[in-house]
């Protein structure tokens, strides 16, 4: 696969959080195609969240290169990197990162506040960004308009997880990364959530990198990547 076809292209990546710490990741090559859905597995502490931080430019590689679409995100800094992230990524964080002083609806619309491109795409889909936010929340089982107006952190953890997913999906970003987005959902809701997420992702043509410990979900994705493949060699004493 050529890099031009990739949503995410990683080469010769090595990463540690601090110079005195052990290597967390050593990935010679990993490419995810535009529109491809990938299930990312690996034991706790194997570096899944670290890898998502590198892909989204929240952390910098110690060595090597991370390309998103046609852009070296590891070369972007400051405001340019924040803008690139807002325009191109939907991110479901492991701990959601919903803003407690905003309502459910405002949290979902936040992605459109930070990116005019996403606001336009959301409006194209449902008339207005708010209309698209309501559509996505409804698709994820949050249909009650009163609930949309409540502060996001007053919701149950499983409901917050779905608000975080709607915030990632709105405005059809070309790359969606989701860090254990089903951990708080019961088994039935989990399968339904993944089915809906994949439908939305296919309709939007987005690439999806989905982290989970739940191997039963893996079959629904185009491909599975296990981070154990990339475990760094132990540092010699
Ligand atoms: N902000 C940070 N600063 C320093 N070290 C970190 C930081 N975040 C993670 N680490 C370390 O990096 C390693 C990988 O952590 P990471 O969170 O990427 O694992 P993970 O695979 O996502 O685990 P889990 O399944 O528990 O979420 C761990 O050894 C962890 O202690
Ligand atoms: Mg993690």
């Amino acid at each position: 696969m050529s890099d031009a076809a990739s949503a995410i292209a990683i080469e010769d990546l090595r990463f540690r959080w601090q110079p005195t710490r052990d290597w967390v990741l050593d990935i010679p090559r990993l490419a995810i195609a535009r529109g491809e859905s990938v299930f990312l597995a690996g034991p706790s502490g194997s570096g899944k969240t670290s890898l998502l931080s590198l892909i989204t430019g929240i952390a910098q590689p110690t060595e090597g290169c991370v390309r998103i679409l046609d852009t070296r995100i590891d070369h972007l800094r400051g405001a340019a990197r924040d803008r690139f992230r807002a325009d191109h990524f939907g991110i479901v964080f492991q701990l959601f990162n919903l803003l407690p002083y905003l309502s459910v609806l405002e949290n979902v619309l936040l992605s459109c506040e930070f990116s005019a491109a996403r606001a336009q795409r959301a409006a194209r889909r449902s008339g207005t960004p708010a209309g698209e936010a309501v559509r996505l929340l409804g698709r994820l089982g949050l249909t009650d308009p009163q609930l949309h107006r409540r502060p996001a952190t007053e919701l149950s953890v499983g409901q917050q997880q779905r608000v975080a997913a709607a915030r990632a999906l709105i405005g059809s970003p070309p790359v969606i990364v989701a860090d254990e987005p089903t951990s708080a959902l019961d088994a039935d809701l989990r399968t339904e959530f993944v089915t809906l997420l994949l439908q939305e992702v296919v309709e939007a043509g987005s690439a999806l990198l989905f982290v989970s410990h739940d191997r039963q979900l893996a079959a629904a994705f185009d491909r599975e990547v296990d981070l154990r493949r990339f475990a760094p060699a132990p540092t010699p004493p």
Side-chain angles (χ1 to χ4, degrees), residues 123-146:
R124 215 174 299 141
R125 181 91 198 249
S126 293
T128 59
E132 175 65 353
V134 168
R135 185 190 73 80
L136 284 166
L137 288 166
R139 283 278 296 207
L140 294 164
L142 303 175
T143 48
D144 179 1
Q146 281 188 353

Side-chain angles (χ1 to χ4, degrees), residues 13-231:
L13 174 75
R14 298 224 301 157
F15 178 69
R16 54 185 170 196
W17 281 98
Q18 286 158 23
T20 53
R21 294 283 171 83
D22 290 339
W23 293 101
V24 173
L25 293 166
D26 184 351
I27 305 184
R29 182 163 169 76
L30 176 65
I32 294 169
R34 295 176 195 234
E36 189 179 25
S37 66
V38 172
F39 182 93
L40 182 67
S44 181
S46 61
K48 302 179 297 296
T49 299
S50 302
L51 178 58
L52 297 191
S53 298
L54 292 161
I55 287 170
T56 52
I58 292 165
Q60 301 294 312
T62 315
E63 296 170 14
C65 124
V66 179
R67 189 183 305 276
I68 304 300
L69 306 162
D70 298 319
T71 299
R72 285 279 305 260
I73 193 162
D74 53 336
H75 283 176
L76 298 180
R77 292 289 178 273
R81 190 175 53 190
D82 293 344
R83 168 133 308 282
F84 184 86
R85 188 184 303 121
D87 284 341
H88 296 90
F89 282 105
I91 305 176
V92 186
F93 292 95
Q94 193 162 11
L95 300 172
F96 317 145
N97 292 10
L98 298 178
L99 296 186
Y101 51 89
L102 294 184
S103 71
V104 164
L105 202 60
E106 287 164 341
N107 264 282
V108 176
L109 285 168
L110 210 54
S111 305
C112 296
E113 295 289 322
F114 291 127
S115 168
R118 287 177 71 173
Q120 278 166 14
R121 285 197 296 265
R124 215 174 299 141
R125 181 91 198 249
S126 293
T128 59
E132 175 65 353
V134 168
R135 185 190 73 80
L136 284 166
L137 288 166
R139 283 278 296 207
L140 294 164
L142 303 175
T143 48
D144 179 1
Q146 281 188 353
L147 185 141
H148 295 174
R149 289 194 286 273
R150 282 174 56 191
T153 44
E154 278 183 14
L155 271 55
S156 78
V157 174
Q159 288 171 329
Q160 288 186 44
Q161 214 152 35
R162 286 175 283 157
V163 175
R167 187 180 59 182
L169 285 165
I170 196 164
S172 312
V175 186
I176 296 179
V177 299
D179 202 348
E180 304 198 39
T182 56
S183 56
L185 306 180
D186 64 49
D188 286 348
L189 206 53
R190 199 172 294 171
T191 311
E192 196 186 316
F193 173 92
V194 169
T195 305
L196 286 170
L197 183 66
L198 285 166
Q199 277 173 9
E200 287 291 332
V201 160
V202 166
E203 282 171 30
S206 310
L208 171 66
L209 188 55
F210 181 100
V211 170
S212 176
H213 288 281
D214 187 350
R215 289 310 251 278
Q216 288 184 336
L217 299 174
F221 292 76
D222 294 332
R223 184 156 63 100
E224 178 175 349
V225 171
D226 192 324
L227 267 195
R228 271 175 294 198
R229 248 171 69 192
F230 302 115

